[in-house]
Amino acid sequence: MTLPELNDTQALEASEAKLSRLHSRFSEFLERYAPLLKLTVSEAEFKWEIFRWSTSLDGTDKDALSAEAGRLLAGGRPSIKAAIFDETKQFSGTNSSLSVEFAGFAKWLGRHGYEELRDLAALTEMGLALEFLQELRQPTQIEDAKLSNVLVLDAPVLLDLMGLSGPSRQRSIENCLRALRGHGTRVATLTHCLEEVAEIIDTVLKRPVNQRFGLTGDALRANPPLAHRARFIARSPDKEAKRLNVEVLVMDRKSPLHANFFADELIDRFRLSSTWHGPDKVEQQYRDALSVAFVMRRRQGRYSSDAFDAPFTLITRNSTFTRYADLFVRTNLGPPSYAFGPAMETKTLAAITWMRFGDTVDRNAPETHLISACDRILASNGFLLKKAERRIAEQQGKEISEAIFSSQQAVFDLVVATGGSPDVLDAANSEELLRAVTSSAQELGRLEERHLADAEIDVARRAASDFASEAEAARQRSVQLAADKAISEGMLRAKQEEIAQIERASEARLDQIAEQTWEDAEAQAWWIVGSAWVVAALYGLGGQFFIWDGDGWWRGDERSLVLGSSVILASLL
């Protein structure tokens, strides 16, 4: 990619103007959507915090993550219960509530089409570049060389790709994988990751709609028909992987193949020390250990500083997992200092892919990643939902409370209004809570009504246009039909005249044949009659000869002469 030349003064002035516009919009957003927090941020504080948050891509503090990984490797306990907060909130470089508000602010800008979203995306673009530089082990070249690596997706990333974490996260990972596949990268997953996908979906679907939480719960609540597809995926996750062109590989722990590159005892050691999921997530810890073991065994001791030169790399959302796996491998296997770790976060994948392949990934890659990261930060949690539902039920009744939180818009408003923290809710602000989770839904309803009205107008306009087009087409068809009819009638008249001429010629020929036939018959009749007369005369003469014994009957008496003459005359007649 070719970076544009910048004038320092102009760049600073432009950045200052963008940050000022963002602060103005953010103040408006807080006043309308986060009254429960009573959050106040000065302009100077806002500019620094929004810059740090947006350039970190998801708000996480890499130093804090590395420290947490080291503490876990040494046998320590997780610093914060993962059941309450996602790691994007645990290790955020920004105040967790402020991070949630920034994420809600970005989504709000996008929903209303405000141009300030582009200003925020510009900061995210800088964050992608910084992420690329931080993960860079050696200078990289932008080229069209073919890749021969395999990216192994863990269960949460598979959910993203399957669309079960919302459309923004699906679009973000799809764009990266499409660009990499175009250069030769293969995409795979493991059978135990598919099992985890099925378990996550089943767990979410078993809950009532108003009690579903997390990215998958939010996605199913926002798009109810998606639940049917989710059930199919839970029953046949391998078929869905095949549809997405994701290979399914097997990690057989008992197989001796390449086992020396990640010994069996290391799998147990990794499992026992990877406690960030919580003490009851034993199966999930074991699957993470198997995934890292698979990658390291398949690498067969081949190390590279380039993420895309490593034969196999695990792709995950989990920043703690990524840092811990890297530290664990370095501690127990002693790879070169320049070697890229066994796992890579999706945000790092997005940064490296974007920097390597530019616009072939996505023209709006920074904005796409920004919205995707916001969806994760804004994911609901079970503690917050239960407490809010209880507060509304006390005021409005259980049925109304369940109905409210069956709406994803209401859940989104709840997260934004509270900064994602259950501690904000108390009996004193129940009415404010009710307004917070219903007012924007009502506003959205009005927006939808306007959209429906606009849609109806568009439909009417299209119908009128279609009618005019059809009328013109009908006129053209009628003109063509009239021309075709005239041509057909002319051809018919010509054919009828031709038939009449043939009939007249036939009649004349028949008359001629009949006349000739008559003349021939008459001549033949006369010939027959003459022949018959001669024969009869001969016959009569012969008869007279024999009757009168041939002795000259004319010599007899007169009576015999008369009788003989009568016989001869009768014979002739």
mmCIF file of all heavy atoms in Angstrom, residues 313-356:
data_model
loop_
_atom_site.group_PDB
_atom_site.id
_atom_site.type_symbol
_atom_site.label_atom_id
_atom_site.label_comp_id
_atom_site.label_asym_id
_atom_site.label_seq_id
_atom_site.Cartn_x
_atom_site.Cartn_y
_atom_site.Cartn_z
ATOM 1 N N THR A 313 -1.800 -22.056 12.017
ATOM 2 C CA THR A 313 -2.018 -21.028 13.038
ATOM 3 C C THR A 313 -3.464 -21.102 13.501
ATOM 4 O O THR A 313 -4.387 -21.211 12.678
ATOM 5 C CB THR A 313 -1.720 -19.620 12.490
ATOM 6 O OG1 THR A 313 -0.380 -19.572 12.000
ATOM 7 C CG2 THR A 313 -1.894 -18.566 13.571
ATOM 8 N N LEU A 314 -3.661 -21.050 14.801
ATOM 9 C CA LEU A 314 -5.009 -21.067 15.371
ATOM 10 C C LEU A 314 -5.564 -19.644 15.389
ATOM 11 O O LEU A 314 -4.880 -18.713 15.816
ATOM 12 C CB LEU A 314 -4.956 -21.633 16.788
ATOM 13 C CG LEU A 314 -6.295 -21.754 17.530
ATOM 14 C CD1 LEU A 314 -7.180 -22.794 16.870
ATOM 15 C CD2 LEU A 314 -6.060 -22.108 19.004
ATOM 16 N N ILE A 315 -6.799 -19.471 14.941
ATOM 17 C CA ILE A 315 -7.466 -18.163 14.934
ATOM 18 C C ILE A 315 -8.529 -18.154 16.021
ATOM 19 O O ILE A 315 -9.401 -19.028 16.063
ATOM 20 C CB ILE A 315 -8.106 -17.868 13.565
ATOM 21 C CG1 ILE A 315 -7.071 -17.992 12.446
ATOM 22 C CG2 ILE A 315 -8.718 -16.467 13.563
ATOM 23 C CD1 ILE A 315 -5.885 -17.067 12.571
ATOM 24 N N THR A 316 -8.457 -17.155 16.914
ATOM 25 C CA THR A 316 -9.369 -17.082 18.048
ATOM 26 C C THR A 316 -9.750 -15.632 18.326
ATOM 27 O O THR A 316 -9.059 -14.710 17.908
ATOM 28 C CB THR A 316 -8.713 -17.699 19.298
ATOM 29 O OG1 THR A 316 -9.611 -17.606 20.406
ATOM 30 C CG2 THR A 316 -7.409 -16.989 19.640
ATOM 31 N N ARG A 317 -10.855 -15.433 19.040
ATOM 32 C CA ARG A 317 -11.215 -14.084 19.489
ATOM 33 C C ARG A 317 -10.452 -13.720 20.770
ATOM 34 O O ARG A 317 -10.269 -12.548 21.076
ATOM 35 C CB ARG A 317 -12.690 -14.016 19.863
ATOM 36 C CG ARG A 317 -13.709 -14.208 18.789
ATOM 37 C CD ARG A 317 -15.057 -14.045 19.475
ATOM 38 N NE ARG A 317 -16.182 -14.565 18.742
ATOM 39 C CZ ARG A 317 -17.314 -14.954 19.311
ATOM 40 N NH1 ARG A 317 -17.432 -14.886 20.625
ATOM 41 N NH2 ARG A 317 -18.305 -15.400 18.588
ATOM 42 N N ASN A 318 -10.061 -14.739 21.527
ATOM 43 C CA ASN A 318 -9.650 -14.571 22.906
ATOM 44 C C ASN A 318 -8.228 -14.027 23.017
ATOM 45 O O ASN A 318 -7.250 -14.724 22.719
ATOM 46 C CB ASN A 318 -9.756 -15.917 23.624
ATOM 47 C CG ASN A 318 -9.721 -15.777 25.116
ATOM 48 O OD1 ASN A 318 -8.909 -15.036 25.659
ATOM 49 N ND2 ASN A 318 -10.603 -16.499 25.791
ATOM 50 N N SER A 319 -8.103 -12.797 23.477
ATOM 51 C CA SER A 319 -6.784 -12.172 23.627
ATOM 52 C C SER A 319 -5.951 -12.866 24.702
ATOM 53 O O SER A 319 -4.741 -13.065 24.543
ATOM 54 C CB SER A 319 -6.938 -10.692 23.989
ATOM 55 O OG SER A 319 -7.654 -9.999 23.000
ATOM 56 N N THR A 320 -6.590 -13.242 25.812
ATOM 57 C CA THR A 320 -5.861 -13.919 26.883
ATOM 58 C C THR A 320 -5.324 -15.263 26.400
ATOM 59 O O THR A 320 -4.169 -15.633 26.686
ATOM 60 C CB THR A 320 -6.786 -14.134 28.094
ATOM 61 O OG1 THR A 320 -7.393 -12.898 28.454
ATOM 62 C CG2 THR A 320 -6.011 -14.680 29.275
ATOM 63 N N PHE A 321 -6.158 -16.002 25.702
ATOM 64 C CA PHE A 321 -5.746 -17.292 25.141
ATOM 65 C C PHE A 321 -4.524 -17.111 24.236
ATOM 66 O O PHE A 321 -3.546 -17.867 24.319
ATOM 67 C CB PHE A 321 -6.925 -17.884 24.373
ATOM 68 C CG PHE A 321 -6.667 -19.240 23.758
ATOM 69 C CD1 PHE A 321 -5.630 -20.055 24.196
ATOM 70 C CD2 PHE A 321 -7.485 -19.695 22.741
ATOM 71 C CE1 PHE A 321 -5.413 -21.312 23.624
ATOM 72 C CE2 PHE A 321 -7.272 -20.938 22.159
ATOM 73 C CZ PHE A 321 -6.228 -21.742 22.610
ATOM 74 N N THR A 322 -4.565 -16.103 23.368
ATOM 75 C CA THR A 322 -3.459 -15.863 22.435
ATOM 76 C C THR A 322 -2.158 -15.575 23.188
ATOM 77 O O THR A 322 -1.105 -16.171 22.893
ATOM 78 C CB THR A 322 -3.798 -14.672 21.520
ATOM 79 O OG1 THR A 322 -5.011 -14.942 20.838
ATOM 80 C CG2 THR A 322 -2.698 -14.455 20.488
ATOM 81 N N ARG A 323 -2.213 -14.666 24.173
ATOM 82 C CA ARG A 323 -1.017 -14.303 24.918
ATOM 83 C C ARG A 323 -0.517 -15.483 25.749
ATOM 84 O O ARG A 323 0.684 -15.745 25.831
ATOM 85 C CB ARG A 323 -1.304 -13.113 25.841
ATOM 86 C CG ARG A 323 -1.595 -11.814 25.112
ATOM 87 C CD ARG A 323 -0.338 -11.292 24.409
ATOM 88 N NE ARG A 323 -0.570 -10.004 23.796
ATOM 89 C CZ ARG A 323 -1.131 -9.817 22.614
ATOM 90 N NH1 ARG A 323 -1.581 -10.852 21.923
ATOM 91 N NH2 ARG A 323 -1.261 -8.608 22.120
ATOM 92 N N TYR A 324 -1.434 -16.203 26.380
ATOM 93 C CA TYR A 324 -1.045 -17.320 27.221
ATOM 94 C C TYR A 324 -0.406 -18.438 26.383
ATOM 95 O O TYR A 324 0.619 -19.021 26.798
ATOM 96 C CB TYR A 324 -2.256 -17.862 27.969
ATOM 97 C CG TYR A 324 -1.914 -19.018 28.876
ATOM 98 C CD1 TYR A 324 -1.350 -18.796 30.121
ATOM 99 C CD2 TYR A 324 -2.129 -20.328 28.463
ATOM 100 C CE1 TYR A 324 -1.003 -19.860 30.951
ATOM 101 C CE2 TYR A 324 -1.794 -21.388 29.273
ATOM 102 C CZ TYR A 324 -1.232 -21.154 30.519
ATOM 103 O OH TYR A 324 -0.887 -22.207 31.326
ATOM 104 N N ALA A 325 -1.012 -18.780 25.218
ATOM 105 C CA ALA A 325 -0.468 -19.845 24.377
ATOM 106 C C ALA A 325 0.948 -19.499 23.923
ATOM 107 O O ALA A 325 1.841 -20.364 23.907
ATOM 108 C CB ALA A 325 -1.377 -20.070 23.175
ATOM 109 N N ASP A 326 1.152 -18.235 23.553
ATOM 110 C CA ASP A 326 2.487 -17.810 23.113
ATOM 111 C C ASP A 326 3.500 -17.955 24.255
ATOM 112 O O ASP A 326 4.610 -18.491 24.073
ATOM 113 C CB ASP A 326 2.421 -16.366 22.625
ATOM 114 C CG ASP A 326 3.746 -15.882 22.055
ATOM 115 O OD1 ASP A 326 4.337 -16.599 21.222
ATOM 116 O OD2 ASP A 326 4.196 -14.794 22.458
ATOM 117 N N LEU A 327 3.118 -17.488 25.443
ATOM 118 C CA LEU A 327 4.022 -17.556 26.600
ATOM 119 C C LEU A 327 4.270 -19.008 27.010
ATOM 120 O O LEU A 327 5.405 -19.389 27.357
ATOM 121 C CB LEU A 327 3.413 -16.770 27.754
ATOM 122 C CG LEU A 327 4.285 -16.616 29.012
ATOM 123 C CD1 LEU A 327 5.616 -15.940 28.669
ATOM 124 C CD2 LEU A 327 3.530 -15.796 30.062
ATOM 125 N N PHE A 328 3.241 -19.844 26.950
ATOM 126 C CA PHE A 328 3.375 -21.252 27.317
ATOM 127 C C PHE A 328 4.355 -21.969 26.382
ATOM 128 O O PHE A 328 5.225 -22.737 26.835
ATOM 129 C CB PHE A 328 2.006 -21.930 27.264
ATOM 130 C CG PHE A 328 2.001 -23.360 27.726
ATOM 131 C CD1 PHE A 328 1.745 -23.671 29.051
ATOM 132 C CD2 PHE A 328 2.260 -24.406 26.840
ATOM 133 C CE1 PHE A 328 1.751 -24.996 29.486
ATOM 134 C CE2 PHE A 328 2.265 -25.719 27.260
ATOM 135 C CZ PHE A 328 2.007 -26.023 28.590
ATOM 136 N N VAL A 329 4.214 -21.734 25.085
ATOM 137 C CA VAL A 329 5.097 -22.375 24.100
ATOM 138 C C VAL A 329 6.533 -21.909 24.291
ATOM 139 O O VAL A 329 7.480 -22.712 24.237
ATOM 140 C CB VAL A 329 4.591 -22.094 22.671
ATOM 141 C CG1 VAL A 329 5.645 -22.468 21.631
ATOM 142 C CG2 VAL A 329 3.300 -22.864 22.410
ATOM 143 N N ARG A 330 6.715 -20.625 24.516
ATOM 144 C CA ARG A 330 8.079 -20.101 24.685
ATOM 145 C C ARG A 330 8.731 -20.667 25.954
ATOM 146 O O ARG A 330 9.936 -20.961 25.976
ATOM 147 C CB ARG A 330 8.056 -18.573 24.743
ATOM 148 C CG ARG A 330 7.668 -17.936 23.427
ATOM 149 C CD ARG A 330 7.782 -16.426 23.443
ATOM 150 N NE ARG A 330 7.288 -15.888 22.176
ATOM 151 C CZ ARG A 330 7.966 -15.912 21.032
ATOM 152 N NH1 ARG A 330 9.184 -16.424 21.010
ATOM 153 N NH2 ARG A 330 7.440 -15.425 19.928
ATOM 154 N N THR A 331 7.924 -20.841 26.993
ATOM 155 C CA THR A 331 8.467 -21.344 28.253
ATOM 156 C C THR A 331 8.823 -22.828 28.168
ATOM 157 O O THR A 331 9.846 -23.272 28.706
ATOM 158 C CB THR A 331 7.457 -21.114 29.390
ATOM 159 O OG1 THR A 331 7.166 -19.724 29.480
ATOM 160 C CG2 THR A 331 8.008 -21.608 30.718
ATOM 161 N N ASN A 332 7.992 -23.616 27.476
ATOM 162 C CA ASN A 332 8.149 -25.068 27.491
ATOM 163 C C ASN A 332 8.848 -25.638 26.259
ATOM 164 O O ASN A 332 9.387 -26.746 26.326
ATOM 165 C CB ASN A 332 6.777 -25.729 27.627
ATOM 166 C CG ASN A 332 6.145 -25.491 28.976
ATOM 167 O OD1 ASN A 332 6.458 -26.167 29.951
ATOM 168 N ND2 ASN A 332 5.245 -24.504 29.048
ATOM 169 N N LEU A 333 8.831 -24.932 25.131
ATOM 170 C CA LEU A 333 9.436 -25.472 23.907
ATOM 171 C C LEU A 333 10.653 -24.677 23.449
ATOM 172 O O LEU A 333 11.420 -25.164 22.620
ATOM 173 C CB LEU A 333 8.394 -25.513 22.779
ATOM 174 C CG LEU A 333 7.165 -26.406 23.033
ATOM 175 C CD1 LEU A 333 6.233 -26.360 21.839
ATOM 176 C CD2 LEU A 333 7.579 -27.838 23.323
ATOM 177 N N GLY A 334 10.808 -23.462 23.925
ATOM 178 C CA GLY A 334 11.979 -22.671 23.582
ATOM 179 C C GLY A 334 12.141 -22.355 22.111
ATOM 180 O O GLY A 334 13.233 -22.549 21.557
ATOM 181 N N PRO A 335 11.109 -21.831 21.435
ATOM 182 C CA PRO A 335 11.266 -21.463 20.026
ATOM 183 C C PRO A 335 12.130 -20.219 19.883
ATOM 184 O O PRO A 335 12.396 -19.520 20.873
ATOM 185 C CB PRO A 335 9.825 -21.176 19.587
ATOM 186 C CG PRO A 335 9.160 -20.695 20.831
ATOM 187 C CD PRO A 335 9.782 -21.483 21.957
ATOM 188 N N PRO A 336 12.579 -19.882 18.681
ATOM 189 C CA PRO A 336 13.356 -18.651 18.477
ATOM 190 C C PRO A 336 12.549 -17.422 18.891
ATOM 191 O O PRO A 336 11.315 -17.418 18.864
ATOM 192 C CB PRO A 336 13.623 -18.654 16.966
ATOM 193 C CG PRO A 336 13.454 -20.066 16.542
ATOM 194 C CD PRO A 336 12.426 -20.660 17.441
ATOM 195 N N SER A 337 13.244 -16.387 19.286
ATOM 196 C CA SER A 337 12.571 -15.171 19.765
ATOM 197 C C SER A 337 11.712 -14.527 18.692
ATOM 198 O O SER A 337 10.743 -13.843 19.006
ATOM 199 C CB SER A 337 13.613 -14.175 20.273
ATOM 200 O OG SER A 337 14.516 -13.833 19.224
ATOM 201 N N TYR A 338 12.083 -14.738 17.419
ATOM 202 C CA TYR A 338 11.341 -14.098 16.329
ATOM 203 C C TYR A 338 10.082 -14.878 15.936
ATOM 204 O O TYR A 338 9.273 -14.410 15.137
ATOM 205 C CB TYR A 338 12.236 -13.948 15.087
ATOM 206 C CG TYR A 338 12.749 -15.269 14.538
ATOM 207 C CD1 TYR A 338 11.948 -16.065 13.732
ATOM 208 C CD2 TYR A 338 14.039 -15.698 14.826
ATOM 209 C CE1 TYR A 338 12.411 -17.275 13.226
ATOM 210 C CE2 TYR A 338 14.515 -16.904 14.333
ATOM 211 C CZ TYR A 338 13.699 -17.697 13.528
ATOM 212 O OH TYR A 338 14.165 -18.878 13.043
ATOM 213 N N ALA A 339 9.900 -16.078 16.471
ATOM 214 C CA ALA A 339 8.822 -16.957 16.008
ATOM 215 C C ALA A 339 7.447 -16.388 16.346
ATOM 216 O O ALA A 339 7.214 -15.888 17.451
ATOM 217 C CB ALA A 339 8.983 -18.338 16.625
ATOM 218 N N PHE A 340 6.538 -16.510 15.379
ATOM 219 C CA PHE A 340 5.145 -16.105 15.598
ATOM 220 C C PHE A 340 4.469 -17.178 16.444
ATOM 221 O O PHE A 340 4.692 -18.371 16.266
ATOM 222 C CB PHE A 340 4.416 -15.956 14.265
ATOM 223 C CG PHE A 340 3.161 -15.148 14.356
ATOM 224 C CD1 PHE A 340 3.191 -13.770 14.210
ATOM 225 C CD2 PHE A 340 1.937 -15.749 14.622
ATOM 226 C CE1 PHE A 340 2.033 -13.009 14.302
ATOM 227 C CE2 PHE A 340 0.778 -15.010 14.729
ATOM 228 C CZ PHE A 340 0.828 -13.636 14.567
ATOM 229 N N GLY A 341 3.630 -16.764 17.379
ATOM 230 C CA GLY A 341 2.993 -17.684 18.318
ATOM 231 C C GLY A 341 2.034 -18.653 17.653
ATOM 232 O O GLY A 341 1.697 -18.524 16.478
ATOM 233 N N PRO A 342 1.539 -19.623 18.420
ATOM 234 C CA PRO A 342 0.635 -20.635 17.854
ATOM 235 C C PRO A 342 -0.760 -20.111 17.533
ATOM 236 O O PRO A 342 -1.483 -20.720 16.737
ATOM 237 C CB PRO A 342 0.564 -21.700 18.948
ATOM 238 C CG PRO A 342 0.870 -20.961 20.212
ATOM 239 C CD PRO A 342 1.857 -19.901 19.831
ATOM 240 N N ALA A 343 -1.158 -19.002 18.153
ATOM 241 C CA ALA A 343 -2.515 -18.480 17.962
ATOM 242 C C ALA A 343 -2.480 -17.009 17.572
ATOM 243 O O ALA A 343 -1.519 -16.290 17.864
ATOM 244 C CB ALA A 343 -3.340 -18.667 19.229
ATOM 245 N N MET A 344 -3.543 -16.576 16.891
ATOM 246 C CA MET A 344 -3.646 -15.188 16.450
ATOM 247 C C MET A 344 -5.092 -14.712 16.650
ATOM 248 O O MET A 344 -6.043 -15.433 16.314
ATOM 249 C CB MET A 344 -3.244 -15.071 14.970
ATOM 250 C CG MET A 344 -3.411 -13.675 14.400
ATOM 251 S SD MET A 344 -2.528 -13.409 12.814
ATOM 252 C CE MET A 344 -2.938 -14.861 11.874
ATOM 253 N N GLU A 345 -5.246 -13.516 17.184
ATOM 254 C CA GLU A 345 -6.579 -12.942 17.363
ATOM 255 C C GLU A 345 -7.173 -12.521 16.016
ATOM 256 O O GLU A 345 -6.451 -12.213 15.071
ATOM 257 C CB GLU A 345 -6.510 -11.711 18.260
ATOM 258 C CG GLU A 345 -6.101 -11.983 19.686
ATOM 259 C CD GLU A 345 -5.964 -10.686 20.447
ATOM 260 O OE1 GLU A 345 -6.998 -10.010 20.663
ATOM 261 O OE2 GLU A 345 -4.823 -10.325 20.800
ATOM 262 N N THR A 346 -8.490 -12.475 15.976
ATOM 263 C CA THR A 346 -9.160 -12.042 14.750
ATOM 264 C C THR A 346 -8.816 -10.597 14.406
ATOM 265 O O THR A 346 -8.718 -10.245 13.229
ATOM 266 C CB THR A 346 -10.685 -12.194 14.894
ATOM 267 O OG1 THR A 346 -11.106 -11.592 16.126
ATOM 268 C CG2 THR A 346 -11.094 -13.650 14.891
ATOM 269 N N LYS A 347 -8.618 -9.747 15.431
ATOM 270 C CA LYS A 347 -8.275 -8.349 15.130
ATOM 271 C C LYS A 347 -6.877 -8.258 14.522
ATOM 272 O O LYS A 347 -6.625 -7.439 13.638
ATOM 273 C CB LYS A 347 -8.382 -7.468 16.379
ATOM 274 C CG LYS A 347 -7.350 -7.743 17.463
ATOM 275 C CD LYS A 347 -7.491 -6.724 18.581
ATOM 276 C CE LYS A 347 -6.433 -6.935 19.659
ATOM 277 N NZ LYS A 347 -6.544 -5.941 20.746
ATOM 278 N N THR A 348 -5.953 -9.127 14.981
ATOM 279 C CA THR A 348 -4.612 -9.151 14.389
ATOM 280 C C THR A 348 -4.677 -9.686 12.971
ATOM 281 O O THR A 348 -3.997 -9.175 12.060
ATOM 282 C CB THR A 348 -3.672 -10.021 15.242
ATOM 283 O OG1 THR A 348 -3.681 -9.546 16.585
ATOM 284 C CG2 THR A 348 -2.260 -9.975 14.700
ATOM 285 N N LEU A 349 -5.500 -10.707 12.771
ATOM 286 C CA LEU A 349 -5.692 -11.250 11.419
ATOM 287 C C LEU A 349 -6.214 -10.166 10.478
ATOM 288 O O LEU A 349 -5.733 -10.015 9.346
ATOM 289 C CB LEU A 349 -6.669 -12.422 11.465
ATOM 290 C CG LEU A 349 -7.030 -13.056 10.127
ATOM 291 C CD1 LEU A 349 -5.830 -13.778 9.535
ATOM 292 C CD2 LEU A 349 -8.209 -14.019 10.275
ATOM 293 N N ALA A 350 -7.189 -9.383 10.955
ATOM 294 C CA ALA A 350 -7.751 -8.308 10.126
ATOM 295 C C ALA A 350 -6.692 -7.269 9.798
ATOM 296 O O ALA A 350 -6.593 -6.800 8.652
ATOM 297 C CB ALA A 350 -8.925 -7.657 10.856
ATOM 298 N N ALA A 351 -5.858 -6.910 10.793
ATOM 299 C CA ALA A 351 -4.831 -5.881 10.576
ATOM 300 C C ALA A 351 -3.777 -6.350 9.579
ATOM 301 O O ALA A 351 -3.433 -5.624 8.635
ATOM 302 C CB ALA A 351 -4.174 -5.525 11.910
ATOM 303 N N ILE A 352 -3.265 -7.566 9.783
ATOM 304 C CA ILE A 352 -2.197 -8.061 8.906
ATOM 305 C C ILE A 352 -2.728 -8.274 7.487
ATOM 306 O O ILE A 352 -2.065 -7.925 6.507
ATOM 307 C CB ILE A 352 -1.596 -9.362 9.477
ATOM 308 C CG1 ILE A 352 -0.946 -9.080 10.837
ATOM 309 C CG2 ILE A 352 -0.582 -9.953 8.517
ATOM 310 C CD1 ILE A 352 -0.380 -10.327 11.513
ATOM 311 N N THR A 353 -3.919 -8.839 7.378
ATOM 312 C CA THR A 353 -4.497 -9.071 6.047
ATOM 313 C C THR A 353 -4.716 -7.754 5.322
ATOM 314 O O THR A 353 -4.419 -7.626 4.125
ATOM 315 C CB THR A 353 -5.829 -9.834 6.169
ATOM 316 O OG1 THR A 353 -5.624 -11.030 6.909
ATOM 317 C CG2 THR A 353 -6.369 -10.196 4.798
ATOM 318 N N TRP A 354 -5.237 -6.755 6.035
ATOM 319 C CA TRP A 354 -5.504 -5.453 5.423
ATOM 320 C C TRP A 354 -4.214 -4.781 4.975
ATOM 321 O O TRP A 354 -4.130 -4.220 3.882
ATOM 322 C CB TRP A 354 -6.264 -4.577 6.412
ATOM 323 C CG TRP A 354 -6.595 -3.217 5.891
ATOM 324 C CD1 TRP A 354 -7.403 -2.911 4.836
ATOM 325 C CD2 TRP A 354 -6.121 -1.978 6.415
ATOM 326 N NE1 TRP A 354 -7.465 -1.543 4.667
ATOM 327 C CE2 TRP A 354 -6.692 -0.948 5.624
ATOM 328 C CE3 TRP A 354 -5.293 -1.631 7.470
ATOM 329 C CZ2 TRP A 354 -6.444 0.400 5.857
ATOM 330 C CZ3 TRP A 354 -5.053 -0.289 7.710
ATOM 331 C CH2 TRP A 354 -5.622 0.706 6.904
ATOM 332 N N MET A 355 -3.187 -4.847 5.827
ATOM 333 C CA MET A 355 -1.916 -4.218 5.469
ATOM 334 C C MET A 355 -1.210 -4.957 4.332
ATOM 335 O O MET A 355 -0.521 -4.346 3.514
ATOM 336 C CB MET A 355 -0.999 -4.160 6.695
ATOM 337 C CG MET A 355 -1.467 -3.188 7.777
ATOM 338 S SD MET A 355 -1.508 -1.459 7.233
ATOM 339 C CE MET A 355 0.246 -1.116 7.034
ATOM 340 N N ARG A 356 -1.362 -6.272 4.285
ATOM 341 C CA ARG A 356 -0.692 -7.043 3.240
ATOM 342 C C ARG A 356 -1.402 -6.938 1.894
ATOM 343 O O ARG A 356 -0.760 -6.834 0.846
ATOM 344 C CB ARG A 356 -0.629 -8.527 3.647
ATOM 345 C CG ARG A 356 0.409 -8.861 4.687
ATOM 346 C CD ARG A 356 1.815 -8.925 4.114
ATOM 347 N NE ARG A 356 2.016 -10.046 3.231
ATOM 348 C CZ ARG A 356 2.462 -11.245 3.613
ATOM 349 N NH1 ARG A 356 2.744 -11.455 4.886
ATOM 350 N NH2 ARG A 356 2.627 -12.206 2.745
#
